[in-house]
Amino acid sequence: MQREQLSIPKTLLYLVFALVFYALQASLFGTWSIRGYHLDLLPALVTAAALLDGPMEGVVVGVTVGLLYDVGFIGVDGLYPLFFLLFGLIAGAMSRLTLSGSYVSMLIMTAVEMVVLGLVRYFAYLLPQTGASFGLVLRQIVGGTLLTCVFCFVVYLPMRRISRRFADR
């Protein structure tokens, strides 16, 4: 079995891209509300890295996005890095076995990631802390997932360009 090599410059560009999106998420996107739903593109970064380049990049970007979530959002400390690490690993492995790095694959995996993330948030934080209604939370999860999938191209296109730029080297 051949060992996969991690491209340091490509990974650094992914991390800078994640920081830029985190800054946008925390400032600009965090204040926008479209019909009561908020745009969250950070999970799409993990999916794009994993599908375009494999499990190693998915794990690195996943841990970074998870740490950014821990820094900026309320929840159980350490849960987000673990969740995104595992998701990056699984999505990267699936990209090697069944899924391609196509946009349709990214939409499907991002939707799955957003739903699972919403359910993890609900059962780990919202239900024990606030006793939130599952129906209301499910409505927010589905609406946020659809909104994220509509704007996934904002993440996918630049990350695909970065991936292709370093694929030739």
Side-chain angles (χ1 to χ4, degrees), residues 25 40 54 57 68 80 128 153:
Q25 182 76 33
D40 186 7
E57 284 83 356
L68 293 172
Y80 293 124
F153 71 93

Side-chain angles (χ1 to χ4, degrees), residues 46 58-59 62-63 79-93:
V46 181
V59 165
V63 168
L79 180 67
Y80 293 124
L82 180 63
F83 172 79
F84 286 117
L85 177 141
L86 291 174
F87 187 83
L89 184 67
I90 291 168

Side-chain angles (χ1 to χ4, degrees), residues 21 53 60 63 77 87 96 113 139 151 157-159 166:
F21 260 86
D53 293 310
V60 171
V63 168
D77 289 335
F87 187 83
R96 297 288 189 242
E113 179 183 22
R139 182 174 158 221
F151 288 99
L157 294 175
M159 291 197 62
F166 286 96

Side-chain angles (χ1 to χ4, degrees), residues 14 17 45 48-49 52 155-164:
Y14 282 166
F17 196 63
L45 292 165
L52 291 170
V155 171
Y156 179 76
L157 294 175
M159 291 197 62
R160 185 181 68 181
R161 177 174 279 165
I162 293 169
S163 178
R164 287 183 177 173

Side-chain angles (χ1 to χ4, degrees), residues 4 10 12 20 35 42-43 45 63 75 81 84 90 98-99 104-105 127 129 142 145-146 150-151 153 155:
E4 185 178 334
K10 177 173 53 176
L12 288 175
V20 167
R35 303 198 49 85
L42 288 175
L45 292 165
V63 168
F84 286 117
I90 291 168
T98 60
L99 296 174
V104 173
S105 296
L127 183 62
Q129 298 292 325
V142 170
T145 299
L146 292 174
V150 166
F151 288 99
F153 71 93
V155 171

Side-chain angles (χ1 to χ4, degrees), residues 14-15 18-19 58-70 81 84:
Y14 282 166
L15 296 180
L19 287 171
V59 165
V60 171
V61 173
V63 168
T64 302
V65 167
L67 290 172
L68 293 172
Y69 258 92
D70 265 358
F84 286 117

Side-chain angles (χ1 to χ4, degrees), residues 3-169:
R3 187 172 182 193
E4 185 178 334
Q5 292 193 356
L6 185 68
S7 170
I8 301 298
K10 177 173 53 176
T11 305
L12 288 175
L13 276 175
Y14 282 166
L15 296 180
V16 167
F17 196 63
L19 287 171
V20 167
F21 260 86
Y22 171 72
L24 289 172
Q25 182 76 33
S27 61
L28 186 62
F29 298 151
T31 60
W32 284 357
S33 177
I34 299 173
R35 303 198 49 85
Y37 304 111
H38 294 280
L39 182 61
D40 186 7
L41 290 173
L42 288 175
L45 292 165
V46 181
T47 305
L51 287 178
L52 291 170
D53 293 310
M56 292 181 70
E57 284 83 356
V59 165
V60 171
V61 173
V63 168
T64 302
V65 167
L67 290 172
L68 293 172
Y69 258 92
D70 265 358
V71 166
F73 302 111
I74 296 173
V76 178
D77 289 335
L79 180 67
Y80 293 124
L82 180 63
F83 172 79
F84 286 117
L85 177 141
L86 291 174
F87 187 83
L89 184 67
I90 291 168
M94 287 182 69
S95 75
R96 297 288 189 242
L97 298 175
T98 60
L99 296 174
S100 65
S102 72
Y103 185 68
V104 173
S105 296
M106 177 161 165
L107 287 176
I108 293 168
M109 289 302 292
T110 300
V112 168
E113 179 183 22
M114 293 293 292
V115 169
V116 172
L117 178 62
L119 292 174
V120 166
R121 282 181 186 154
Y122 176 71
F123 287 114
Y125 180 72
L126 291 174
L127 183 62
Q129 298 292 325
T130 64
S133 166
F134 183 73
L136 292 175
V137 172
L138 186 61
R139 182 174 158 221
Q140 286 295 329
I141 291 171
V142 170
T145 299
L146 292 174
L147 187 61
T148 297
C149 287
V150 166
F151 288 99
C152 261
F153 71 93
V154 174
V155 171
Y156 179 76
L157 294 175
M159 291 197 62
R160 185 181 68 181
R161 177 174 279 165
I162 293 169
S163 178
R164 287 183 177 173
R165 181 175 179 200
F166 286 96
D168 298 334
R169 295 178 185 188

